[in-house]
Amino acid sequence: MPSPSKIVFNVPSLMPEDAARRRSGAGPVQPAPASPPPRESAELIEQGDVRKLATLLEVSQALAGTLNLETSLYGVLEVLERRCGARRGAVTLIEEASGLLVVEAALGYPRTAGRVRYRVGEGITGGVAQRGKPAVVPHVTEEPEFLNRAVSRDARHDEGDMSFLCVPILMEGSSAGTLAVEMPFMPERDSERMIKVLRITAALISQAVRIHNLVEGERQRLVEENTQLREELRERYEFSNIVGNSGTMRRVYEQVAQVVGTGATVMIRGESGTGKELIAHALHHHSPRAGKPFVRVNCAALPETLVETELFGHERGAFTGAQARRKGKFEQADGGTLFLDEIGELSPSIQAKLLRVLQGREFERLGGNETVRVDVRLITATNKDLEKALAEGTFREDLYYRLNVFSIFVPPLRERKSDVLLLADHFVEKYASVHQRIIKRISTPAIDMLMAYHWPGNVRELENAIERAVLVADGDVIHGHHLTPTLQTAEASGTVVSRSLGEAVGVFESNLIQDALKSTRGNRAKAARLLDTTERILSYKVRRYGIDPRRFRG
Ligand SMILES: Nc1ncnc2c1ncn2[C@@H]1O[C@H](COP(=O)(O)OP(=O)(O)OP(=O)(O)O)[C@@H](O)[C@H]1O
Ligand SMILES: [Mg+2]
């Protein structure tokens, strides 16, 4: 039985050919002469070095050629096979979860080799990983420590004498895996030279694995972040977040329900700030396309010169500065929804281009010939009077009919007065939480001001007004004077009726009394106590300011 001492760890001092000579009785190798090598052998060394460099160049090219680690590892093994005469090659890496050495790529082994695992310290491969030092087994079949897990002993029988060379893949000073090759035993082989090549190759692999891990870690982080953001978006665009109970809004909900599960093209109409974008998002996030992208294009912000590349993308070199291929919005939205916002702002030339894409759902990237086909659901929105634009000839009729398949009209806020309070409460809650304030309610006079105002900026204006009020409120109640100056004007709210001091004080006093009555649900005696006055004085002022305490009872 040959002794395991034939396995050589570290850069081998005992060459396989020593063993061969000893077995064949050829006697020990003579020590190399100390004098410089003769001319021919120097040339031979030079040739060998050139070959070695060429091999390493190919190895580094294989590693740089693709981002897929497994493919590049196969590339490396293939180079070792082709250039160094390796019959087999395998790369193992330590799996983080199990701590086992797992075969990442294996060339020349049976298919089952891919499932082979070693514990660190187990067999030759495990030993190399444990010690962080190379090993050479000159005669695989004679080595009892050789586990033959990847190739059975029987299968090895017919293939002749093989040597096994294995080096560690080191990362930050410790083993991250191994690189091993098997080559036919040749007494004259310089295994030290081969080990050197393998060590440099392992260092290059280590670098590639490190980059792969970094990229993979970042990719994983992005995937997780993306999933979380999608979930947040979904929650944000839950239908329950669209506030409003008015008859006009209920009609909107009915229309939304009719199209939400279909792939129909939807056009959302309504004044600025009415909630068109909110509805577009909700339509996407409750459709079968919810898991795919929702891509918004603001047509009003598309410069004429950039519109093509923005919508359809461009090929590399399509114009100066186009250093890489870029996907346009249509391609980004593939499988999902493309939301063309402010569609009424499109210039005639862009309208024509868009029409062409909508007719065929295919296009070419700028500077390219390849036809790109996409599957997108279109939702558009506008606050423009498109019919007027049609009559004036500024909006194409054919495009209009393509986009106006199903229309949803979002009513202006002044036509759904009953929603104002619901929305105001919703925004108080939202912004109190955002700005970490405690706001318990909106005072009655402030409510009256909100109700009296005509809201030309619709829900957006209401939202802004409430956010501001939450920020400026000094207590836990939003009072009339916390609202924006626009709401304070006589024309806007009818609340401030006079500029005289007496009348201004009267308005203030009336507001205070109404607040107190609201807190006490219309109970005058309690309200008087709250304001530190008598019920008689309070009743007098209630009559004077024409306040009806009954309205606070409910
Ligand atoms: N029914 C609603 N419930 C809750 N929030 C709403 C509602 N309608 C609108 N909003 C809010 O009002 C703001 C304006 O809405 P959105 O951006 O959807 O308006 P828009 O109709 O697209 O306006 P524009 O035409 O100016 O683009 C958003 O912050 C939105 O969340
Ligand atoms: Mg909008």
Side-chain angles (χ1 to χ4, degrees):
M1 181 65 114
S3 95
S5 66
K6 266 202 258 104
I7 312 165
V8 189
F9 288 103
N10 210 339
V11 180
S13 52
L14 176 64
M15 306 295 229
E17 48 270 44
D18 291 336
R21 271 166 204 277
R22 260 187 274 121
R23 276 191 324 149
S24 62
V29 183
Q30 293 300 314
S35 54
R39 236 174 91 83
E40 302 94 281
S41 68
E43 267 170 22
L44 273 179
I45 289 171
E46 245 171 52
Q47 275 174 18
D49 282 346
V50 169
R51 272 208 306 279
K52 196 161 87 183
L53 280 177
T55 306
L56 292 173
L57 177 68
E58 282 194 31
V59 163
S60 64
Q61 281 167 344
L63 287 170
T66 161
L67 274 181
N68 182 314
L69 182 67
E70 199 183 332
T71 313
S72 49
L73 291 179
Y74 273 106
V76 170
L77 295 176
E78 193 270 326
V79 173
L80 295 176
E81 184 185 49
R82 187 162 37 79
R83 297 208 65 114
C84 308
R87 284 277 179 79
R88 299 193 176 101
V91 175
T92 67
L93 290 175
I94 296 180
E95 190 180 63
E96 207 179 308
S98 63
L100 294 177
L101 284 159
V102 175
V103 174
E104 288 293 316
L107 203 70
Y109 285 98
R111 274 177 169 277
T112 46
R115 293 198 293 271
V116 170
R117 281 166 169 49
Y118 304 94
R119 281 194 307 277
V120 173
E122 182 186 33
I124 311 288
T125 302
V128 168
Q130 189 175 48
R131 293 178 185 85
K133 305 250 162 78
V136 175
V137 179
H139 307 280
V140 166
T141 45
E142 293 174 12
E143 177 49 57
E145 250 200 71
F146 206 80
L147 296 174
N148 287 302
R149 247 181 225 168
V151 185
S152 70
R153 241 174 243 282
D154 290 346
R156 288 195 176 279
H157 225 69
D158 315 323
E159 64 182 13
D161 207 359
M162 297 286 267
S163 304
F164 180 82
L165 295 87
C166 184
V167 295
I169 295 172
L170 298 172
M171 219 179 271
E172 284 156 17
S174 55
S175 293
T178 62
L179 164 68
V181 292
E182 283 187 35
M183 28 212 338
F185 173 76
M186 273 192 263
E188 70 280 11
R189 188 190 304 285
D190 180 357
S191 54
E192 189 170 0
R193 203 176 176 78
M194 187 61 200
I195 285 285
K196 268 188 195 151
V197 171
L198 291 178
R199 287 187 101 166
I200 300 174
T201 305
L204 293 171
I205 291 178
S206 160
Q207 199 60 21
V209 170
R210 198 201 308 261
I211 291 168
H212 170 81
N213 289 348
L214 280 177
V215 171
E216 188 52 29
E218 184 63 7
R219 197 187 68 86
Q220 202 53 39
R221 195 186 65 73
L222 287 174
V223 166
E224 276 162 24
E225 188 176 296
N226 197 288
T227 316
Q228 193 195 332
L229 286 175
R230 266 185 208 283
E231 197 44 47
E232 274 175 25
L233 270 181
R234 227 187 115 74
E235 277 168 26
R236 194 157 136 208
Y237 294 110
E238 277 294 331
F239 282 126
S240 55
N241 284 340
I242 304 182
V243 178
N245 243 336
S246 56
T248 42
M249 274 313 275
R250 268 193 242 141
R251 265 196 295 288
V252 169
Y253 300 146
E254 278 164 23
Q255 288 176 315
V256 166
Q258 280 169 8
V259 278
V260 75
T262 72
T265 302
V266 178
M267 184 184 271
I268 308 173
R269 313 280 298 267
E271 286 178 17
S272 179
T274 45
K276 298 185 293 296
E277 190 169 341
L278 193 66
I279 289 172
H281 274 283
L283 272 174
H284 170 75
H285 288 287
H286 291 83
S287 78
R289 293 168 179 262
K292 292 288 170 64
F294 174 90
V295 177
R296 174 176 178 260
V297 179
N298 183 357
C299 300
L302 278 183
E304 188 86 34
T305 46
L306 283 182
V307 69
E308 279 210 75
T309 130
E310 192 66 18
L311 289 179
F312 313 125
H314 60 70
E315 294 292 344
R316 190 177 166 190
F319 48 86
T320 326
Q323 284 169 350
R325 171 193 276 185
R326 179 167 177 244
K327 281 187 181 180
K329 300 283 186 190
F330 267 94
E331 253 182 295
Q332 287 171 21
D334 196 16
T337 303
L338 183 66
F339 175 45
L340 299 175
D341 205 359
E342 322 267 5
I343 191 84
E345 307 295 329
L346 282 182
S347 72
S349 74
I350 303 173
Q351 288 178 32
K353 281 171 192 154
L354 192 61
L355 182 70
R356 204 171 66 79
V357 178
L358 296 187
Q359 278 163 345
R361 298 272 150 143
E362 58 179 46
F363 54 89
E364 289 90 43
R365 296 184 201 100
L366 197 69
N369 301 320
E370 190 192 336
T371 303
V372 185
R373 275 190 187 78
V374 286
D375 162 33
V376 292
R377 187 216 194 147
L378 261 191
I379 299 181
T380 59
T382 183
N383 53 25
K384 277 266 171 83
D385 184 347
L386 279 191
E387 290 70 20
K388 192 165 153 237
L390 282 184
E392 288 168 358
T394 49
F395 202 87
R396 289 179 74 118
E397 211 169 319
D398 37 14
L399 181 61
Y400 172 82
Y401 288 117
R402 261 197 193 271
L403 297 177
N404 197 15
V405 178
F406 190 97
S407 288
I408 296 177
F409 281 89
V410 193
L413 191 53
R414 63 182 172 280
E415 285 176 20
R416 39 177 162 137
K417 274 282 161 72
S418 58
D419 288 346
V420 170
L421 256 193
L422 283 177
L423 283 161
D425 281 340
H426 169 75
F427 292 133
V428 165
E429 200 179 311
K430 174 175 167 184
Y431 288 106
S433 147
V434 168
H435 300 298
Q436 298 183 349
R437 299 287 170 102
I438 295 169
I439 305 284
K440 291 200 177 130
R441 64 188 179 87
I442 307 172
S443 75
T444 309
I447 289 175
D448 287 345
M449 285 163 74
L450 295 173
M451 294 299 285
Y453 188 58
H454 59 293
W455 298 110
N458 293 295
V459 185
R460 181 180 293 116
E461 190 181 6
L462 174 61
E463 182 168 1
N464 292 344
I466 298 292
E467 181 173 14
R468 177 185 186 274
V470 166
L471 282 171
V472 298
D474 32 18
D476 57 7
V477 177
I478 290 180
H479 290 289
H481 59 275
H482 296 139
L483 294 173
T484 52
T486 352
L487 273 79
Q488 316 274 354
T489 60
E491 305 78 50
S493 64
T495 314
V496 182
V497 291
S498 162
R499 283 187 174 82
S500 85
L501 179 64
E503 277 170 339
V505 170
V507 168
F508 186 66
E509 196 171 40
S510 163
N511 286 349
L512 279 180
I513 293 170
Q514 290 183 60
D515 271 352
L517 285 169
K518 173 137 193 199
S519 309
T520 61
R521 294 178 169 263
N523 184 321
R524 290 187 207 205
K526 283 187 186 168
R529 274 200 296 282
L530 261 185
L531 293 171
D532 205 13
T533 181
T534 63
E535 191 178 346
R536 197 179 60 79
I537 292 177
L538 188 100
S539 295
Y540 162 73
K541 302 221 180 224
V542 160
R543 270 198 307 280
R544 180 171 162 199
Y545 296 126
I547 300 168
D548 180 7
R550 280 174 306 186
R551 67 181 275 220
F552 302 107
R553 277 187 197 147

